[in-house]
Amino acid sequence: MKAYIRNITYSLPHNVEANPIGRLSKKTGIYKRHVCSKNEVASDLAVSAVKQLFNKNINPDEIEFLLLCTQSPDYILPTTACILQDKLGIPTTCGALDYNLGCSGYIYGLSMAKGLIESGQVKNVLLVTAENYSKHINSKDNSVKPLFGDAATATFIEGMDTGINGIEGFVFGTDGNGYNDLIIPVGGMRHPYATTPIKWDEDSYGNIRSNRDLYMNGSNIGNFAMEVVPDTVDKILKMVKMNREDIDYYIFHQANKFILDYLQEKCKLKDFPFWNNMEEYGNTVSNSIPIALYDVLHSTDKLLKYVMLVGFGVGLSWGGCIVNCQYYKEKHN
């Protein structure tokens, strides 16, 4: 039994914010972002994404495990995955859990789904990613506001009776020394809201944020990506005994155009199919890879088999793998 991605859907908020056309938008490649309304949360987007899956002949009664990757849960506890199980009408025999990870989260979710299926614990996994980083961001902080968009995705992963791997070549990495480079300082148990005074900061560019808002050291995050991603690509290829030419498409976390342009060159991928398009979405964190994978699979009539996925970001965390898309259902309907 091998785990395969059978279908992907995604959901975006109806509210769209346009970035001013200028040097920053051209550099980042981000011109629009979908942003949640005041009363709209990540689980609302997740429900919408999963219901699209159910409209594609995925039966909720058959779901055996639900994984939710989010850094913007409905509550500190209980887990939002448990709430989704009820809202979606999935049987109570289904396992469900949240895990807190960002831009590499989809890779980790694929790994957990593969482990659950190929160890014989379940026959299928519903992997959901859902984020509304916009609620973490101060409206006066233009160092991050124009970058991040909200979204949710749903991926149905199913066991197939075959000896050929559907998801393989996992490489992971963690460098917690850089945890301060992408952080919301206040709100957890280390610095609770109730007992931590609000502190305001204004940088040299006039960006204003408090210690309750998202902070990102973009320069450090970029340098981190340049250091770890090329090595990750090489390790994945070595693990699966493939060359660059054997991969039909390369999809990295859609951070911004500037970083991806550099990574494509540094990873020696200038002559290979490489997705770099977040014009309409922005950086959607854990959603960016599955959104890109969906868009790639639906933007070509060519049969894509091997696709490399690489995520990197908050944690600091990174990971990558190869997915075999030959049994992706939607493409052959």
Side-chain angles (χ1 to χ4, degrees), residues 144-159:
V144 287
K145 182 183 176 183
L147 300 178
F148 290 97
D150 300 332
T153 74
T155 303
F156 185 66
I157 303 159
E158 188 175 33

Side-chain angles (χ1 to χ4, degrees), residues 126-170:
L126 174 60
L127 171 59
V128 180
T129 62
E131 291 294 355
N132 50 7
Y133 258 43
S134 64
K135 295 184 186 298
H136 295 320
I137 294 171
N138 191 295
S139 61
K140 296 181 180 179
D141 186 0
N142 286 312
S143 68
V144 287
K145 182 183 176 183
L147 300 178
F148 290 97
D150 300 332
T153 74
T155 303
F156 185 66
I157 303 159
E158 188 175 33
M160 295 186 62
D161 190 12
T162 175
I164 301 173
N165 281 314
I167 313 171
E168 61 180 330
F170 284 96

